[in-house]
């Protein structure tokens, strides 16, 4: 079932890209990010998000701060770091290259 | 009437039914087992607990003050089972950690033994009921070779000490979710025997 693994890896790569992209539009806490990812059906179970966020935070792409909430537990707001926005720019350009490349093969 | 526990999730206190509590703590243990090979484990578990806390808050109000099994089931469905979550290191370099997957080895079973655990270990290896295995050895004993065979096996066959060895003894593959399941079963066993002793 290597195919399943390939699909999972592809989805994971795209997810990391999308998380950075969502955060580039403004700081957000996990549930905001989740709602956006769910809207576009990129994520099936919520648990998938947390290991990705932790990894991005540890590689210096994200930072976070705590904010109190009136409705529930305190919220961890994530923000893009400088390194994060650089990585996002790179990802964006390689994403377009990839789409063009795949498209040109599919159309042949 | 139901017994409840109070738990601290993301620094908020919740009253939770006993059955719901057991299910939730087993789930969190499995999650923890799933990420056991990551250094970010603590962060991830905290984030997940925080989200569960938030989901509980959404479900509680003036008319509903206790988290029930239905709530926990729904939260687990939303968060996802460890195998749906993915993201642990185990699935990236596939088959390196699961190198011994499905292989069976003979061990002596220290948890189910009469003398040295030889019979129950052999029973696990051959998928025979331990009682029948013991009867075979009793018959061999009367034939005059049982005692010697048993002693030799006792010396030669190692005891299953670690969880990984116990899984290998049963022929289960050694991976995080199996280890999680194993602990859950053990926990249930302890609970049952505790209840039996109380009644």
């Amino acid at each position: 079932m290597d195919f399943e693994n390939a699909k999972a890896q592809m989805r994971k790569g795209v997810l990391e890209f999308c998380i950075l992209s969502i955060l580039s539009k403004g700081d957000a806490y996990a549930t905001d990010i989740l709602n956006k990812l769910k809207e576009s059906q990129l994520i099936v179970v919520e648990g998938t998000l947390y290991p990705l966020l932790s990894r991005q935070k540890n590689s210096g792409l994200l930072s976070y701060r705590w904010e109190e909430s009136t409705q529930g537990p305190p919220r961890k707001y994530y923000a893009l770091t400088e390194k994060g926005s650089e990585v996002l720019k790179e990802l964006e350009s390689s994403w377009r290259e990839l789409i063009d490349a795949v498209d040109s093969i599919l159309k042949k | 009437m139901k017994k409840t526990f109070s738990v601290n999730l993301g620094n908020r206190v919740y009253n939770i039914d006993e059955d719901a509590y057991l299910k939730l703590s087993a789930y969190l243990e499995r999650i923890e087992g799933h990420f056991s090979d990551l250094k970010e484990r603590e962060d991830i578990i905290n984030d997940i607990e925080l989200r569960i806390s938030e989901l509980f808050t959404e479900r509680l109000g003036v008319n509903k003050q206790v988290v029930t099994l239905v709530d926990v089931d729904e939260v687990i469905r939303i968060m996802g089972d460890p195998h749906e979550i993915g993201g642990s290191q185990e699935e990236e370099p596939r088959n390196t950690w699961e190198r011994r997957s499905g292989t069976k080895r003979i061990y002596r079973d220290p948890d189910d033994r009469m003398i040295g655990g030889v019979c129950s270990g052999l029973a696990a290896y051959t998928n025979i009921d331990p009682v029948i295995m013991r009867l075979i050895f009793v018959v061999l004993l009367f034939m005059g070779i049982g005692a010697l065979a048993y002693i030799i096996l006792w010396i030669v066959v190692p005891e299953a000490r670690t969880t990984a060895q116990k899984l290998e003894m049963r022929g289960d593959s050694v991976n995080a979710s199996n280890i999680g399941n194993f602990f859950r079963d053990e926990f249930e066993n302890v609970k049952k025997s505790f209840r039996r002793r109380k009644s």
Side-chain angles (χ1 to χ4, degrees):
Chain A
M1 294 300 272
D2 265 343
F3 182 64
E4 281 304 312
N5 197 25
K7 254 172 37 179
Q9 293 298 327
M10 204 146 77
R11 190 176 278 267
K12 209 185 84 191
V14 173
L15 259 180
E16 298 207 23
F17 174 36
C18 289
I19 293 170
L20 294 179
S21 171
I22 289 170
L23 288 172
S24 73
K25 296 183 179 89
D27 301 355
Y29 83 113
T31 307
D32 293 332
I33 304 175
L34 275 171
N35 288 338
K36 288 199 178 123
L37 292 174
K38 274 183 170 170
E39 256 172 49
S40 42
Q41 297 184 326
L42 260 172
I43 214 168
V44 183
V45 290
E46 294 196 357
T48 314
L49 178 70
Y50 301 99
L52 298 179
L53 283 177
S54 302
R55 198 172 313 155
Q56 292 187 330
K57 189 200 77 198
N58 285 355
S59 11
L61 306 183
L62 307 179
S63 61
Y64 71 86
R65 62 174 190 277
W66 286 102
E67 265 182 35
E68 291 299 322
S69 155
T70 48
Q71 285 139 20
R75 295 171 173 182
K76 214 175 185 177
Y77 270 82
Y78 288 92
L80 214 57
T81 60
E82 234 169 81
K83 191 178 167 195
S85 18
E86 275 166 35
V87 169
L88 177 63
K89 257 178 229 155
E90 271 172 47
L91 284 177
E92 268 168 352
S93 65
S94 59
W95 174 249
R96 303 218 184 283
E97 277 168 31
L98 200 63
I99 287 182
D100 291 343
V102 173
D103 266 355
S104 72
I105 286 177
L106 290 180
K107 277 173 196 156
K108 265 178 197 168
Chain B
M1 190 176 75
K2 264 183 157 177
K3 198 170 153 190
T4 67
F5 290 96
S6 76
V7 294
N8 171 348
L9 261 184
N11 276 332
R12 286 170 71 92
V13 177
Y14 295 93
N15 289 316
I16 180 167
D17 280 339
E18 188 178 13
D19 48 0
Y21 167 75
L22 290 173
K23 184 137 198 194
L24 183 65
S25 60
Y27 173 71
L28 289 173
E29 249 169 65
R30 264 185 300 146
I31 294 273
E32 214 158 322
H34 179 65
F35 292 121
S36 59
D37 49 351
L38 292 185
K39 57 180 188 305
E40 300 98 351
R41 187 188 65 200
E42 222 166 286
D43 271 346
I44 299 173
I45 306 288
N46 280 339
D47 286 352
I48 287 178
E49 285 190 3
L50 213 61
R51 176 64 179 148
I52 293 177
S53 169
E54 196 179 48
L55 288 170
F56 282 165
T57 306
E58 282 172 14
R59 279 162 181 72
L60 297 178
V62 184
N63 298 320
K64 185 175 183 314
Q65 301 190 335
V66 179
V67 176
T68 63
L69 192 60
V70 178
D71 297 323
V72 169
D73 279 335
E74 199 172 321
V75 163
I76 291 177
R77 195 182 53 75
I78 293 173
M79 299 306 292
D81 225 50
H83 73 272
E84 298 171 292
I85 289 176
S88 73
Q89 227 138 50
E90 157 202 343
E91 49 190 43
E92 275 153 26
R94 264 233 148 93
N95 299 329
T96 50
W97 213 55
E98 261 186 82
R99 61 192 182 281
R100 287 171 294 186
S101 73
T103 54
K104 235 180 181 186
R105 299 185 61 182
I106 302 183
Y107 285 103
R108 287 183 291 116
D109 186 352
D111 300 328
D112 178 25
R113 65 167 170 206
M114 291 286 168
I115 309 168
V118 170
C119 288
S120 53
L122 284 178
Y125 187 73
T126 51
N127 276 334
I128 296 176
D129 192 295
V131 176
I132 291 172
M133 190 55 83
R134 287 184 189 122
L135 281 174
I136 292 172
F137 267 83
V138 171
V139 171
L140 288 175
L141 188 69
F142 283 113
M143 288 165 65
I145 50 171
L148 188 64
Y150 194 94
I151 290 167
I152 290 172
L153 283 169
W154 197 349
I155 296 167
V156 171
V157 177
E159 189 182 60
R161 285 175 205 273
T162 66
T163 307
Q165 288 173 338
K166 284 175 188 173
L167 286 169
E168 274 184 343
M169 181 177 73
R170 298 186 197 165
D172 292 332
S173 59
V174 184
N175 60 30
S177 71
N178 265 343
I179 291 175
N181 289 339
F182 182 84
F183 277 115
R184 204 181 40 204
D185 294 347
E186 289 283 286
F187 178 65
E188 292 291 321
N189 284 342
V190 170
K191 221 172 59 192
K192 263 183 223 148
S193 63
F194 186 68
R195 273 202 197 128
R196 237 178 279 140
R197 213 164 292 164
K198 258 202 314 202
S199 59

